[in-house]
Amino acid sequence: MTNSELLHVGTFGRPQGLKGHIKIIMHTSNFDSFKSLAPYFNENKDFVYEFDKLDLMNGKLVGQIKNCLSRNCVEKFYGKKIFIEKNKLSKTNDNQHYVFDLVGCTVKTSKNIILGKVISINNFGAGELMNVKNTEGKYFYLPINSENILSIDVKNKNIIANPLKGLID
């Protein structure tokens, strides 16, 4: 299994209390999504993270790793990344895409003018935005909506955009 077949879905945070609980920073949209993705692996897939508990506490995900019942035991996990196999993800609809599918795509206009490459997808509260790095090394945000994005071809890593006037100037 190569790293490209794995997806980073979480990172262990600091221990919580004395009984082997540890905070987990989720990189999924919600707790139910994270919980449904088991089994979880380390980056080399030579260690499986098994949890006795996964709970939300005050809006934060806290887990208890199987057979790790003390603070000293879980401290060694701090900062370690949690992965799943990408092939375990559910299929998306035609107009839905996973973030990892969009990152690295080339963004072009309908006239085949290259605008740049997608660096990340962000949401600051008003909707999903593509963070695009243009050919001059400058960054701009492109809202992911039908007014700005005409088509997405994940297989060929191409996105056709029609940015509203003023978005990339």
Side-chain angles (χ1 to χ4, degrees):
M1 177 102 9
T2 65
N3 253 357
S4 65
E5 295 168 338
L6 296 176
L7 179 64
H8 179 206
V9 295
T11 303
F12 287 108
R14 299 221 180 263
Q16 177 80 26
L18 302 173
K19 296 184 179 181
H21 294 94
I22 189 166
K23 292 179 184 175
I24 299 170
I25 301 157
M26 293 183 292
H27 302 304
T28 60
S29 59
N30 61 53
F31 172 63
D32 291 329
S33 294
F34 184 88
K35 200 172 176 181
S36 71
L37 295 172
Y40 309 100
F41 305 96
N42 67 351
E43 60 198 13
N44 299 320
K45 205 177 171 218
D46 57 5
F47 187 84
V48 178
Y49 299 118
E50 293 183 65
F51 296 96
D52 285 333
K53 289 182 186 177
L54 278 175
D55 293 309
L56 280 181
M57 295 179 155
N58 300 322
K60 304 285 183 187
L61 178 59
V62 177
Q64 186 173 36
I65 300 168
K66 190 173 190 161
N67 298 321
C68 198
L69 304 175
S70 72
R71 184 179 185 91
N72 288 341
C73 182
V74 295
E75 283 178 342
K76 65 184 173 195
F77 292 100
Y78 173 69
K80 296 200 182 291
K81 295 179 180 180
I82 302 168
F83 293 87
I84 61 158
E85 295 174 326
K86 281 184 186 176
N87 64 5
K88 300 288 183 189
L89 294 170
S90 59
K91 298 285 183 205
T92 58
N93 294 329
D94 288 340
N95 62 342
Q96 295 176 322
H97 307 282
Y98 287 110
V99 169
F100 63 82
D101 286 331
L102 300 178
V103 172
C105 285
T106 300
V107 181
K108 301 177 184 179
T109 66
S110 56
K111 295 179 181 175
N112 211 28
I113 298 168
I114 295 175
L115 299 175
K117 287 207 179 276
V118 177
I119 303 304
S120 63
I121 306 296
N122 301 101
N123 187 330
F124 302 108
E128 301 288 325
L129 301 169
M130 282 184 197
N131 185 4
V132 180
K133 183 177 182 181
N134 70 16
T135 54
E136 297 163 6
K138 295 182 180 176
Y139 297 87
F140 66 91
Y141 284 106
L142 188 60
I144 302 175
N145 58 35
S146 59
E147 293 147 353
N148 290 291
I149 306 299
L150 302 177
S151 67
I152 298 174
D153 180 358
V154 171
K155 184 177 178 185
N156 293 309
K157 302 294 274 178
N158 283 314
I159 296 172
I160 305 300
N162 183 28
L164 294 174
K165 187 173 175 112
L167 279 180
I168 59 173
D169 294 338

